[in-house]
Amino acid sequence: MQDRAEYIAAATNGLDMLLGIVYVLLALAIVIALLGIGNTLSLAVHERRREIGLLRAVGQTRRQTRAVLRLESMVVSSFGTVLGLVLGTFLGWMMVTAVSTGDTSIALPIARLAIVAALGAMAGMLAAGRPARRAARLPILDAIAAP
């Protein structure tokens, strides 16, 4: 026998465990996405060697080169994060609507969504670190002469 408070605690314990599993899967998806962003940016640096060399030849500094690539990565990761949040919110609402027989109103955790969006943008900047350093260290003349 459980009283009302014990029953609520038992029911929310299962949901908390499920939410923990979802957060672990979210973290795994973020790590995979960051590896993908880093790999894509590395390929972009390799393909745009001549462009980077020409920009450096006309006066772009190494710091500016790194900043441009970090900004590009941040835009890509922010777009992916916002798209994922919107799609996830919509699919969550659809699931609630499909399961519920009564009121289908949901409460969005705006603070958590904002934190996830900010972390997604910062993680994109982190993923750009290595490719941006590599692009900034390219020898200018070798980059211009690249095929």
Side-chain angles (χ1 to χ4, degrees):
M1 291 293 278
Q2 294 177 340
D3 64 355
R4 181 178 173 89
E6 291 173 344
Y7 175 75
I8 290 172
T12 58
N13 188 22
L15 288 176
D16 287 341
M17 184 178 75
L18 181 64
L19 187 60
I21 291 171
V22 168
Y23 278 140
V24 168
L25 290 173
L26 175 65
L28 185 63
I30 288 171
V31 168
I32 291 170
L34 292 178
L35 289 173
I37 289 172
N39 187 31
T40 302
L41 201 57
S42 291
L43 289 172
V45 166
H46 180 70
E47 291 173 356
R48 298 188 309 189
R49 284 181 70 152
R50 180 174 287 169
E51 175 190 340
I52 292 169
L54 287 173
L55 287 171
R56 292 285 317 279
V58 297
Q60 186 178 37
T61 63
R62 289 180 181 211
R63 186 178 198 176
Q64 289 171 334
T65 303
R66 287 191 305 264
V68 165
L69 290 170
R70 284 187 185 128
L71 181 65
E72 180 181 333
S73 176
M74 189 177 78
V75 166
V76 169
S77 65
S78 296
F79 181 73
T81 302
V82 169
L83 184 65
L85 289 174
V86 169
L87 187 62
T89 301
F90 176 72
L91 291 176
W93 174 74
M94 290 299 293
M95 295 274 291
V96 167
T97 303
V99 173
S100 178
T101 57
D103 184 24
T104 59
S105 63
I106 60 172
L108 289 177
I110 301 297
R112 282 188 184 174
L113 293 176
I115 289 171
V116 168
L119 288 176
M122 285 189 288
M125 286 179 57
L126 179 71
R130 186 168 177 241
R133 269 193 316 275
R134 197 177 88 194
R137 291 182 183 165
L138 283 174
I140 295 173
L141 294 178
D142 291 344
I144 292 172

